Amino acid sequence: MAVDTFDTYLAEKTAYIEDKLTPALEQVGVPTALYESMNYSLMAGGKRLRPMLVLAVLEALDKPIERGVPFAVALEMIHTYSLIHDDLPAMDDDDLRRGKPTNHKVYGEATAILAGDALLTRAFSFIAESYRERTDVSALTTVNLIAELGKRAGATGMVGGQMADIEGESKRLELNELEFIHEHKTGDLLIAALRGGGYLAEASEKQMEKLTRYGYCIGLAFQIQDDILNVEGDAAELGKAVGSDAERQKATYPSLLGLEESKVRVAALIASAKAALAEAGLEHSALTPLADYVSNRKK
Amino acid sequence: MAVDTFDTYLAEKTAYIEDKLTPALEQVGVPTALYESMNYSLMAGGKRLRPMLVLAVLEALDKPIERGVPFAVALEMIHTYSLIHDDLPAMDDDDLRRGKPTNHKVYGEATAILAGDALLTRAFSFIAESYRERTDVSALTTVNLIAELGKRAGATGMVGGQMADIEGESKRLELNELEFIHEHKTGDLLIAALRGGGYLAEASEKQMEKLTRYGYCIGLAFQIQDDILNVEGDAAELGKAVGSDAERQKATYPSLLGLEESKVRVAALIASAKAALAEAGLEHSALTPLADYVSNRKK
């Protein structure tokens, strides 16, 4: 897929997904401030990478992307709740996210905590309610989606990664500890997106395994690229300060391996991701440019 | 069921449930502090009323109680997460719960937030994983359980009730607003327990409707009784201060209706709950003494 074609693809898919987010929230019977707080963060922008991966797997396997919508929306709800909670004063204490005030700066801490809880809860009920009404997704597939999502989002996955990240702030991390954080804090939810797409598209066991590998690779590449951009990115383009990791003496790939070696790792991971796609017979799909997109991004 | 028999019943069922809680947590691959924080609050005692209701419905409909265990455990995880988050400094700012330091006092705020998030997530994945392995519960029933739990625990249920409670602290509540808070903050999770039990026991539509009514009545009676105990309860027996509601000028049933009228309401609600059981043909079960237990409790 040519670069300009892929840019159009990304723009179309982002718009497609964003249209589905607000309608997935419940509004009747929900206190106004709670609903508004949930919607504020859900609609605060972002790459919508996790939903994008779900749809790309369905496309790659010649299935209608619409089948992936409830799961894609649920992933974005979980990603959003994790950002709300991570930004809290007791966690990273951030005032801004993507150039906008963080949830608790707008709605207060109590509401932000509850909005996160409610988004996390809604993710699961939305999957259950939505697929229950469809005839093209079996109840067993729905149960598999929920098990997968819970495993990757919870204590063994994203929440565990965030916990390790917080614990790591007060010590000098080794590379394997840093990789644990990245794998779980970011990678696991990408893997959930890919495997969820695989369940919905009735991927073969081998394809599931390769999609998992692809997700692991692009997840880690994404985080190393994040570290690299914090060293040599453009603050205006990124919408956030650069050099902050070094200032806080935070362990990063560049600080542990050097900048050049970090770039080599990114390239190697993207090559592995593409190899996994080829082994699954899925290389002629948007998953290939998506891997490049993750590693070439400037913001 | 005679009182002493029922006391034995409660003790047996509590022990039965408590044995299932810790094994339901994941430990391998989970940061130690996160696991310990989750387990600390999950095992911090309490009446285990929600699990009890699940098992009682199965018994009432002559089904093995063991079938209810994953759902019962998930309910207790959700109840526990809600207590951890409610106790946070940004919410009710409580240092003690059931006479023990609250989660954030022991593990710190960041860990407490994450432990709550992880318990909430685990509730859903535990249901999905556990029932997927059983032959006596269909995938559709599992999906129904998750939809039910999400609806009652999220923005339209428990989280919405907590939000209304927080908003209500800064204004003079009307009785209907107070009832909204009680219905959602406490009642909805009891209803989820009963309806979940109903799904698992293949209750008829009429029985589901009556169990819902029963849950609504005992939930509201439970909260009014809570208000009453805050006026005339025994601090030592309760394990917490009495008179605190009046001191904080908190709207309660006694403050809005008077103590005597509040007691009349409790009695009427329990009578309604029992009538609903009779209409469902479930009056000869532990659900009858459980209704009395909720309203007669001294702590």
Side-chain angles (χ1 to χ4, degrees):
Chain A
M1 207 181 277
V3 173
D4 58 338
T5 322
F6 182 64
D7 283 347
T8 309
Y9 175 91
L10 281 183
E12 277 175 11
K13 286 293 185 293
T14 304
Y16 177 79
I17 291 155
E18 295 204 331
D19 271 355
K20 317 289 184 195
L21 297 175
T22 296
L25 294 178
E26 297 150 307
Q27 188 167 11
V28 177
V30 176
T32 309
L34 180 62
Y35 170 79
E36 287 179 358
S37 166
M38 293 167 77
N39 195 47
Y40 173 80
S41 290
L42 194 58
M43 296 311 293
K47 287 176 277 291
R48 313 299 188 190
L49 180 57
R50 294 149 195 83
M52 203 83 74
L53 292 171
V54 178
L55 306 187
V57 172
L58 282 159
E59 277 183 340
L61 287 156
D62 290 318
K63 297 294 191 300
I65 59 168
E66 171 225 342
R67 190 187 292 176
V69 169
F71 188 66
V73 166
L75 280 162
E76 199 62 13
M77 286 179 180
I78 289 194
H79 177 55
T80 301
Y81 114 76
S82 78
L83 301 181
I84 297 174
H85 281 189
D86 283 4
D87 287 336
L88 286 168
M91 308 275 273
D92 294 347
D93 195 13
D94 279 315
D95 292 353
L96 289 174
R97 176 168 292 274
R98 300 190 189 112
K100 293 172 73 175
T102 46
N103 195 293
H104 66 273
K105 296 305 281 184
V106 180
Y107 297 97
E109 270 189 71
T111 304
I113 294 168
L114 293 174
D117 294 344
L119 280 166
L120 172 53
T121 308
R122 182 60 181 153
F124 291 104
S125 70
F126 189 63
I127 293 174
E129 287 175 15
S130 303
Y131 288 119
R132 189 167 57 177
E133 287 177 8
R134 295 181 67 111
T135 51
D136 59 342
V137 176
S138 73
L140 177 60
T141 296
T142 307
V143 173
N144 285 335
L145 291 175
I146 289 164
E148 182 73 32
L149 185 57
K151 175 180 162 185
R152 307 282 174 183
T156 55
M158 185 183 70
V159 175
Q162 173 67 4
M163 183 76 218
D165 194 12
I166 288 171
E167 286 178 333
E169 280 171 14
S170 54
K171 60 179 184 183
R172 175 114 191 108
L173 290 177
E174 305 286 332
L175 193 64
N176 67 329
E177 294 170 313
L178 187 59
E179 191 183 324
F180 178 92
I181 293 169
H182 288 342
E183 180 183 348
H184 295 295
K185 193 175 164 174
T186 310
D188 276 345
L189 215 51
L190 302 184
I191 293 175
L194 291 154
R195 291 179 58 89
Y199 278 122
L200 288 163
E202 291 149 65
S204 69
E205 211 164 302
K206 183 182 169 189
Q207 285 172 327
M208 287 294 265
E209 189 193 301
K210 300 301 173 189
L211 286 169
T212 309
R213 172 84 192 142
Y214 169 88
Y216 170 83
C217 292
I218 66 164
L220 192 51
F222 183 95
Q223 278 303 137
I224 302 177
Q225 182 65 15
D226 220 49
D227 289 351
I228 292 171
L229 287 172
N230 198 280
V231 177
E232 58 170 27
D234 182 86
E237 206 168 348
L238 281 169
K240 60 182 176 187
V242 297
S244 56
D245 289 346
E247 219 167 274
R248 291 155 58 201
Q249 295 196 293
K250 197 177 161 184
T252 64
Y253 272 76
S255 76
L256 292 174
L257 288 180
L259 201 53
E260 287 317 307
E261 175 61 21
S262 297
K263 290 179 184 178
V264 170
R265 294 270 173 127
V266 170
L269 285 164
I270 297 304
S272 279
K274 290 182 181 174
L277 284 185
E279 288 159 34
L282 301 175
E283 68 274 34
H284 303 295
S285 73
L287 292 167
T288 295
L290 273 167
D292 290 319
Y293 167 64
V294 159
S295 59
N296 291 339
R297 69 200 172 89
K298 301 287 175 232
K299 60 179 184 175
Chain B
M1 207 181 275
V3 173
D4 59 338
T5 320
F6 183 63
D7 283 348
T8 309
Y9 175 91
L10 281 183
E12 277 176 11
K13 286 294 185 292
T14 305
Y16 177 79
I17 291 157
E18 295 204 330
D19 270 356
K20 317 289 183 193
L21 298 175
T22 296
L25 293 179
E26 297 149 308
Q27 188 166 12
V28 177
V30 176
T32 309
L34 181 62
Y35 170 80
E36 286 179 358
S37 166
M38 292 167 77
N39 196 46
Y40 172 80
S41 290
L42 194 58
M43 297 310 291
K47 286 176 277 292
R48 312 301 186 189
L49 180 57
R50 292 149 197 84
M52 203 83 74
L53 291 172
V54 177
L55 306 187
V57 172
L58 283 159
E59 277 183 340
L61 287 156
D62 291 318
K63 298 295 190 300
I65 59 168
E66 172 226 341
R67 189 186 293 176
V69 168
F71 188 66
V73 166
L75 280 161
E76 199 63 12
M77 286 179 180
I78 289 195
H79 177 56
T80 301
Y81 115 75
S82 77
L83 301 180
I84 296 174
H85 282 190
D86 284 4
D87 287 337
L88 287 168
M91 308 275 273
D92 293 348
D93 195 14
D94 279 316
D95 292 354
L96 288 174
R97 176 168 294 274
R98 299 189 190 113
K100 294 172 74 174
T102 46
N103 195 292
H104 67 273
K105 296 305 281 184
V106 180
Y107 298 96
E109 270 188 69
T111 304
I113 293 168
L114 292 174
D117 293 344
L119 281 166
L120 172 53
T121 309
R122 182 61 180 151
F124 290 104
S125 70
F126 188 62
I127 292 174
E129 287 175 14
S130 303
Y131 288 120
R132 189 167 57 177
E133 286 177 9
R134 296 181 67 112
T135 52
D136 59 342
V137 175
S138 73
L140 177 59
T141 297
T142 307
V143 173
N144 285 334
L145 291 175
I146 289 164
E148 182 73 33
L149 186 57
K151 174 179 161 185
R152 306 282 174 184
T156 54
M158 185 183 71
V159 175
Q162 174 65 6
M163 183 75 219
D165 195 12
I166 287 171
E167 287 179 333
E169 279 170 14
S170 53
K171 61 178 184 183
R172 176 111 192 111
L173 290 177
E174 305 285 331
L175 193 63
N176 67 329
E177 294 170 313
L178 186 59
E179 191 182 324
F180 178 92
I181 294 169
H182 288 342
E183 179 182 347
H184 295 295
K185 192 175 165 174
T186 311
D188 276 345
L189 215 52
L190 302 184
I191 292 175
L194 292 153
R195 290 180 59 89
Y199 278 121
L200 288 163
E202 291 150 67
S204 68
E205 211 163 302
K206 184 182 168 187
Q207 285 172 329
M208 287 294 264
E209 186 193 304
K210 299 302 173 188
L211 285 169
T212 309
R213 172 87 192 140
Y214 169 88
Y216 170 80
C217 291
I218 66 165
L220 191 51
F222 183 94
Q223 278 304 135
I224 302 178
Q225 183 64 16
D226 221 49
D227 289 351
I228 293 170
L229 288 171
N230 198 280
V231 178
E232 58 170 28
D234 182 86
E237 204 166 349
L238 281 168
K240 62 181 175 186
V242 296
S244 55
D245 289 344
E247 221 167 90
R248 291 157 57 202
Q249 295 195 291
K250 195 178 162 186
T252 64
Y253 272 75
S255 76
L256 292 174
L257 289 179
L259 200 54
E260 286 319 305
E261 175 60 19
S262 298
K263 290 180 184 176
V264 169
R265 294 268 173 127
V266 170
L269 285 163
I270 296 304
S272 279
K274 290 183 182 174
L277 285 184
E279 287 159 33
L282 300 175
E283 69 273 36
H284 303 294
S285 73
L287 293 168
T288 296
L290 274 167
D292 290 321
Y293 167 65
V294 159
S295 59
N296 291 339
R297 70 201 173 86
K298 301 286 176 232
K299 59 179 184 175

